[in-house]
Amino acid sequence: MTEAHTTIEVFSQSAAELRELIDRELAVRCQLSEDCPAGLSQAMAYALLAPGKRLRPMLVLHAAEACQGTLAAAMPAACAVEMVHAYSLVHDDLPAMDDDDLRRGLPTCHKKFGEALAILAGDGLLTQAFEVLATQIQPPSVAARCCGVLARAAGPCNMVGGQADDMDSHHAGGDLDGLCAIHRRKTGAMIEASLELGGLAADADDDQLAALRNYGRCLGLAFQITDDLLDVRSNAQAVGKRTGKDAQRGKLTFPGLLGIEQSDQRARQLVAEACTALAPFNGRAERLEALARYVVERNR
Ligand code: GRG
């Protein structure tokens, strides 16, 4: 067995239990009152509970753990971040955006429920996330900070803005700084926010929050480079979504700009930088280190 396989196996075993716990907590928060139309509630649950990796909730929980907080206190933030992520995937898959049929190994939300309900399911997940944060994070002053952090990361200057720029990226001049700037907002901001939310739920101090954000910034970029590499190297069955689409659409990507070998090296270098940023936790952030290694060695 190669070193890479060993890392993935060890990580996968320890992550599986946590993923099950996260899935149970997500399912509880999907049980809406009967004022929510049944079809809408089904479409939201379909998108949210589909078998994703739960990377962002894991980051929230492991960040809280590194700051000596409890899983219970951080769980609402873990669920909220996954709700916003699930909404972004539903909207990204729509015909007006990436127009995809397959997500997480299943038909996309609009293929299963129709476009109109998929748009509303995304809207429902986005707003539900903020209700969860506002009502389930304690004390209310921390809940308010969490709402601000998640709103900024998901909003027009970050995820939504990065998506808008990415849709136009084939017009950009093939510049590495420009590509990094798009992905720092489109995917990186939500990853960084996941770390910050975990820290906030654990009452982290400013130095701990800064260390978590640094780790998140490096990890976010490493995650996106790996996502681009998977699009080139893997197949739809393995990753649960269509592959090869970036090249087809003439999209600006890391392998397109740097080549496969250098992209791979850059992702590994960023993981090393991410792990160095965890030094102030004196060994209490081992799971965040393992997760960073998994991010570049994953095959889906
Ligand atoms: C439509 C408002 C709006 C935003 C879309 C994040 C995003 C912005 C779109 C997702 C498109 C995409 C495939 C981006 C590449 C990186 C990424 C976010 C991959 C999906 O995240 P994973 O791999 O997915 O964590 P799972 O399914 O495991 O949760």
Side-chain angles (χ1 to χ4, degrees), residues 16 90 252:
V90 170
L252 198 55

Side-chain angles (χ1 to χ4, degrees), residues 50-57 82 84-94 97-98 100 103-104 154 159-164 166-167 183 185-187 190-191 223-224 227-228 230 239 241 245 251 294 298 300:
K53 294 183 287 298
R54 312 294 184 231
L55 172 70
R56 294 154 193 80
E82 186 67 13
V84 173
H85 173 59
Y87 126 76
S88 79
L89 298 180
V90 170
H91 282 196
D92 185 67
D93 289 335
L94 289 168
M97 297 235 189
D98 252 17
D100 272 311
R103 170 69 65 185
R104 294 173 162 177
M159 185 178 75
V160 171
Q163 172 80 349
D166 194 30
M167 282 165 22
H183 290 303
R185 287 174 292 137
K186 182 183 161 186
T187 21
M190 282 289 291
I191 288 179
F223 174 87
Q224 184 60 53
D227 206 72
D228 283 0
L230 283 172
V239 289
K241 61 183 180 184
K245 60 185 181 185
K251 263 198 172 174
Y294 158 79
R298 69 200 167 102
R300 78 176 182 114

